Every structure is written in structure tokens, then in C-alpha cells.
Amino acid sequence: AGVPTRVYVPNSLSNTVDVIDPATYRVIDHYAVGTTPQHVVPAYDLKTLYVNNNRGNSLTPIDPRTGKPGAPIPVNDPYNLYFTPDGTRAVVMAERNSRIDFRDPKTFGLVKSVPIPHAGVNHADFTPNGNVMIASCQFSGWVERIDLTSMSVTGELKVGGMPVDVKSSPDGSVMFIANQGRGGVSVVDPVAMREVGFIPTGAGA
């Protein structure tokens, strides 16, 4: 309530964010953020948006009510950002450092850093029960399973290609993984950690 509808666009090559009013399709604001902004992610409570300044090692908070940025928050290598389904942890996908960093969702203080043995960890999704996260390693063709209670890797699978976006099926029985290098979608059983199907789509899925 009280939040105007806006589209926030991170411009990775110019270190800026554009704000678009989708009712008029016009850019209504433009401001500098940190180096190489990759994504704009809402906080768990939806009261703040965070610009992931990957090479700037910071998050730029945006107040969605005003659309204005605040002071940057120091966070190492935030290529991508998630929040656990229960809201107790921020999950920073530290792609360059081959880590997943679990942080306090308010202060962003480090709780636990989980090394990932394959290059390019950057996208993920959660099982519907909120206990497990499946993360893709884009540059090495691997998929990792992380237990959210212990904050540790509990399984992995090589799907090959370039796995990027990860989305759970509604019942959580499979994960759909956009496999850019194989031109389709890998269908993965997150319990057995095996590929149970492949859906051909097109080059660069």
C-alpha cells in the first residue's frame, strides 16, 4: 500500500539505475549507484529495494515509496541476492568469489560463507517447504543443493552447458533450469539430484 508502480532498471555498463513509470513508458528518474549493478531485488518485507553492485561490493538501498536511493551498504561481491522463505537470512550469490554468503537480512552482517566448488554460482530457487535451495553454476555446468538449516552443500549434479535461471515446479517435485549452453531446460529432481528430463527450446535459453 502506498507504493507507486515503477520499473527499476540496473545499467551494468554505466553504473546507474533508471526508473520507469509503466503507465507512461517514460524514464522519470536516473541516478548513479555502485560499480556494475546487476539486479534490483526487493527485501523480504518489501520495504526496501536493493541494487546489487557486483564489482562495487555494495548494495544500494532504494525506498520504493519515494524511488530514491540511500547510502550504500558494504557487501562483498553481490552478483545476485535472495531471501530465505522464512525471512531469516539474506542469501548473497558471490559469483566472482565462488561462494554463497548467508547474511543478516537487516544489517547484512555475515552469518556463514559457503564455498561452492564450481565456477559461476549466480541463480537459485527454493523448494516450497522452504528447507532447500537449488543453485546454478553458470560457467561450469553444475547445480548445487544447499540445506538452509545447516547452510551447507548437501548434493550436486553436472547438467553441462550453462545453467542459469532456476525455478521450482509448484509442487517442488522438480526444478526447471534454463540451460543456455544446451538450448533448453534441464528438469532436475532436487531429492535424487539427477536430471529426469530435458525440454529443447532454442539457442541461448
Side-chain angles (χ1 to χ4, degrees):
V3 176
T5 303
R6 298 289 182 260
V7 178
Y8 294 84
V9 183
N11 303 305
S12 298
L13 300 184
S14 62
N15 306 324
T16 60
V17 164
D18 282 314
V19 185
I20 298 171
D21 181 343
T24 63
Y25 300 107
R26 293 183 183 275
V27 174
I28 60 171
D29 207 350
H30 172 87
Y31 40 78
V33 292
T35 306
T36 320
Q38 296 277 12
H39 300 91
V40 180
V41 178
Y44 182 79
D45 62 8
L46 306 181
K47 293 180 180 178
T48 308
L49 306 174
Y50 293 104
V51 184
N52 301 172
N53 303 313
N54 189 195
R55 293 193 174 277
N57 297 312
S58 68
L59 300 173
T60 300
I62 297 173
D63 182 340
R65 288 169 179 76
T66 65
K68 298 298 183 181
I73 302 165
V75 170
N76 189 257
D77 190 18
Y79 171 84
N80 209 348
L81 174 67
Y82 297 92
F83 292 87
T84 56
D86 64 2
T88 61
R89 295 284 183 264
V91 186
V92 174
M93 310 300 280
E95 177 191 82
R96 185 174 68 250
N97 295 327
S98 294
R99 297 194 319 247
I100 295 176
D101 292 337
F102 289 88
R103 294 179 175 272
D104 182 283
K106 297 294 186 183
T107 68
F108 288 94
L110 184 65
V111 175
K112 185 177 181 180
S113 187
V114 180
I116 301 298
H118 309 289
V121 61
N122 54 27
H123 290 82
D125 200 9
F126 303 96
T127 53
N129 63 14
N131 296 332
V132 171
M133 181 174 74
I134 300 294
S136 63
C137 298
Q138 180 177 354
F139 307 136
S140 54
W142 286 81
V143 175
E144 302 290 300
R145 182 179 64 203
I146 293 93
D147 180 274
L148 296 178
T149 302
S150 64
M151 292 176 283
S152 60
V153 175
T154 59
E156 62 179 16
L157 169 69
K158 187 167 188 177
V159 294
M162 294 180 69
V164 192
D165 281 310
V166 181
K167 294 296 175 188
S168 174
S169 64
D171 64 0
S173 61
V174 296
M175 288 281 178
F176 297 106
I177 300 166
N179 199 315
Q180 200 172 79
R182 291 174 61 192
V185 177
S186 296
V187 184
V188 171
D189 179 336
V191 176
M193 286 305 284
R194 63 187 180 90
E195 187 175 89
V196 295
F198 185 81
I199 305 166
T201 56

